[in-house]
Amino acid sequence: MEYVGTALAEMTMPQISPLNGEPIERADAERLAGVLKALADPARLRLLSLIQSAPEGEACVCDLTAPLGLSQPTVSHHLRILTEAGLLQREKRGVWAYYSLVPSAIATIADLLTPPRKRATKKAR
Amino acid sequence: MEYVGTALAEMTMPQISPLNGEPIERADAERLAGVLKALADPARLRLLSLIQSAPEGEACVCDLTAPLGLSQPTVSHHLRILTEAGLLQREKRGVWAYYSLVPSAIATIADLLTPPRKRATKKAR
DNA sequence: CAGCAGCATCGATCCGCCTGCATATCAGCA
DNA sequence: TGCTGATATGCAGGCGGATCGATGCTGCTG
């Protein structure tokens, strides 16, 4: 099966058809579901939360295993999924890998869901 | 294991700890993940989209099987999950079961995600 | 140049979920 | 009452994913 490695590109650039106006296409549904699937896990939600509230908005793997109570390989696995979904970015400094939130990635997802804005045509604003 | 049948109550009333300020608790993470898991499926996203864009904002199972290309039991299954997550509501009229969106359920989820509105306090920039 | 520490990857296991077939329910109708 | 059509539920197969131990890699450091 295919990866969601391009999820970020799909989201920040072309944009997935949001959940408001016309019925969404199957392809769009699969892309959006792919990103949401990355979010729909307790461990990953906590990772995002921990990283976001960390001192510089970044954290390395060794800082995250303890609070989560998961093994290092498992944490690394979750971080990989979040990164491939375009939610996290990785920066290697020396022996450490620092993860931080991709600026408005989550907000973009929220916007895709928040349909409401019963705007006339499509997506004004 | 336990169901997410109370997800709606959790969301519209007490509210799940959102993904912004302090690190979220494990229980909150699990609740939020539960609701997101209901959303993180192509078939269910399309169901929500179809129902929302239907004439009266409602649709019965028989109207949804064809567009999705899934069997009736499978569609019924997905509708059940969405309903238990608090995203859909069911109204039985005669032989038909009409499903419609729970008013601001999805928007609530979006708000839980959309966190931070880069307010001064933390890290401007 | 060994040795070590932080991470990523691999292999394996276990569990949950998507899907469809068969079947049970239930309301309307002859 | 008995039949038909619209939904819901039970059951089972198959796939994907969460987790961990072991291992490989790579910069630091003595």
Side-chain angles (χ1 to χ4, degrees), chain A residues 41 44 70-71 73-74 77-78 81 94-95:
Chain A
D41 181 275
R44 290 197 282 270
L70 294 176
S71 69
T74 301
H77 163 73
H78 285 307
I81 291 182
V95 192

Side-chain angles (χ1 to χ4, degrees), chain A residues 4-96:
Chain A
V4 268
T6 55
L8 182 144
E10 305 286 354
M11 293 193 47
T12 57
M13 301 257 305
Q15 93 196 26
I16 301 171
S17 158
L19 194 57
N20 50 19
E22 306 302 303
I24 59 181
E25 304 292 332
R26 180 173 322 178
D28 287 325
E30 287 176 356
R31 274 193 286 268
L32 181 52
V35 180
L36 288 174
K37 207 165 288 187
L39 270 180
D41 181 275
R44 290 197 282 270
L45 287 174
R46 296 184 68 198
L47 278 174
L48 291 175
S49 179
L50 283 169
I51 292 174
Q52 172 194 18
S53 58
E56 298 298 324
E58 63 179 17
C60 58
V61 182
C62 57
D63 295 331
L64 299 170
T65 54
L68 280 188
L70 294 176
S71 69
Q72 175 268 318
T74 301
V75 171
S76 198
H77 163 73
H78 285 307
L79 291 172
R80 179 175 182 270
I81 291 182
L82 288 171
T83 302
E84 286 178 339
L87 300 174
L88 287 182
Q89 50 194 7
R90 196 183 90 129
E91 182 192 351
K92 187 107 186 237
R93 286 204 298 270
V95 192
W96 297 276

